[in-house]
Amino acid sequence: MPELPEVETVRRGLERWCLNQKIFAVEPLHPRATNPRSLSAITEVSGATIKKIARRGKFLWFELDRPYALVAHLGMSGQFRIQPFGAVDEKHLRARFSLSKKELRFIDQRTFGWLAISALEDGVPTLVSAIAPDLLDEKFDRRATVKKFQSKRSEVKRVLLDQSVMSGVGNIYADESLWRAKIHPQSIAAELSSRKIGQLIDSAESVMSQALLEGGTSFDSLYTNVNGESGYFEHSLQAYGREEQPCARCHALIRRIVFGGRSSHFCPKCQKL
DNA sequence: ACTAGCACCTGATCGC
DNA sequence: TGCGATCAGGTGCTAG
């Protein structure tokens, strides 16, 4: 569920509340909350101090005063919450970290999210090394990304969602970016001009930056920041979830189609194949 | 090597 | 009121 703007909102909240805090105790509460590729149990971070909170695409990690990091992915429904000691346990509480004055909690209804211990290599956890830099990363290479898009014979929306090409974009912002760039989601990526792919990248950057300013998109309580508050970007969506509603540009009705097992929303008039 | 499809979960909602 | 079908913002494994 959470895409780059939502994960970045969470990262900033964690930075504000957890930086330079010592982790006194860790309590894992669900077996699926630990990624099977984790180097060891997450209780390993007991006694460590949080030195930095980093992100690449939708992956977050806590850098510690140790040679490894605590990596987190929110999956579809993961949340981090800062709570006072003794607050009632949330229904889907999956792990508890005791800091000096507060508890950091990992909550996840659908259990697609996870935590893991992962070695750092050049500042990036091994578990994240196959993920391409995202649009807000200074390592993001625009020309190389355009080339990668052009090397793919599949539908451009699938490529947008491929985290090894460019990370951070999920189903909502993919539809929004394609709408803004006036590209049909089923266009073959390799058949698009460099200029068109450039427009798509620009659109993804502007839509996600705007969403970030509004604290992200949320339809329900499954996405919130570390204080349990929702974002406001839902009001600004032009394609996602707007099936049968008029396109803001041309008033044709937005269509929803399913491919790759998920919904795609687009304007049949502005976004032609 | 690349691509497409499905599996992994829980819960909300909708139609009958 | 109850039940089954469908849907949900992600990733990763596997079969072709």
Side-chain angles (χ1 to χ4, degrees):
Chain A
M1 138 227 140
E3 306 180 34
L4 187 150
E6 293 75 33
V7 179
E8 175 60 16
T9 301
V10 170
R11 192 198 67 78
R12 292 178 182 182
L14 291 171
E15 195 165 59
R16 176 160 169 224
W17 291 98
C18 306
L19 211 56
N20 296 316
Q21 295 262 325
K22 185 170 169 181
I23 301 166
F24 289 93
V26 182
E27 198 182 341
L29 295 161
H30 192 288
R32 283 176 54 88
T34 301
N35 186 306
R37 288 153 75 201
S38 182
L39 289 178
S40 54
I42 57 169
T43 49
E44 189 90 13
V45 301
S46 301
T49 298
I50 299 168
K51 304 307 282 184
K52 184 178 173 186
I53 300 164
R55 181 189 57 74
R56 172 176 282 189
K58 305 168 198 169
F59 292 73
L60 273 173
W61 64 93
F62 298 77
E63 291 186 14
L64 310 165
D65 51 351
R66 310 249 171 118
Y68 53 79
L70 175 69
V71 184
H73 196 290
L74 303 178
M76 296 278 258
S77 54
Q79 300 182 359
F80 276 110
R81 296 286 291 274
I82 302 293
Q83 293 282 42
F85 289 121
V88 175
D89 286 1
E90 291 78 2
K91 184 169 182 196
H92 304 291
L93 180 62
R94 306 303 187 202
R96 185 199 325 269
F97 298 84
S98 303
L99 308 179
S100 64
K101 293 183 181 132
K102 299 261 189 184
E103 280 181 11
L104 169 64
R105 298 180 175 189
F106 181 63
I107 300 149
D108 187 15
Q109 179 201 104
R110 291 175 69 185
T111 67
F112 289 161
W114 49 260
L115 303 168
I117 306 287
S118 185
L120 279 170
E121 262 181 83
D122 301 325
V124 178
T126 313
L127 275 177
V128 183
S129 61
I131 304 301
D134 60 68
L135 282 161
L136 304 187
D137 191 328
E138 54 186 27
K139 287 184 186 154
F140 181 73
D141 183 337
R142 193 190 164 87
R143 290 183 62 176
T145 306
V146 171
K147 283 232 157 70
K148 269 199 211 167
F149 267 87
Q150 290 179 318
S151 73
K152 303 283 184 182
R153 293 295 319 167
S154 54
E155 295 141 315
V156 66
K157 177 161 176 190
R158 292 180 191 274
V159 182
L160 256 183
L161 294 175
D162 182 342
Q163 305 296 301
S164 69
V165 172
M166 175 175 99
S167 67
V169 178
N171 207 35
I172 295 179
Y173 299 113
D175 283 1
E176 294 302 307
S177 306
L178 290 161
W179 181 86
R180 289 190 177 207
K182 301 188 187 174
I183 298 172
H184 191 290
Q186 290 176 298
S187 310
I188 300 303
E191 292 171 1
L192 294 170
S193 66
S194 304
R195 196 175 131 265
K196 208 66 190 158
I197 293 170
Q199 286 171 2
L200 180 58
I201 293 173
D202 289 345
S203 300
E205 185 173 8
S206 68
V207 75
M208 291 198 296
S209 306
Q210 232 173 298
L212 182 55
L213 290 176
E214 297 182 39
T217 301
S218 44
F219 305 115
D220 52 41
S221 57
L222 282 190
Y223 164 71
T224 63
N225 66 17
V226 296
N227 299 316
E229 297 148 351
S230 294
Y232 293 97
F233 195 69
E234 184 188 351
H235 313 293
S236 310
L237 298 177
Q238 308 282 15
Y240 187 86
R242 299 196 67 245
E243 183 181 12
E244 297 301 315
Q245 293 177 51
C247 167
R249 267 191 310 247
C250 75
H251 309 298
L253 298 185
I254 298 289
R255 274 187 56 198
R256 182 174 83 99
I257 57 171
V258 175
F259 68 97
R262 50 206 328 185
S263 294
S264 283
H265 309 75
F266 67 101
C267 171
K269 199 170 157 196
C270 303
Q271 297 168 262
K272 295 231 193 274
L273 253 188

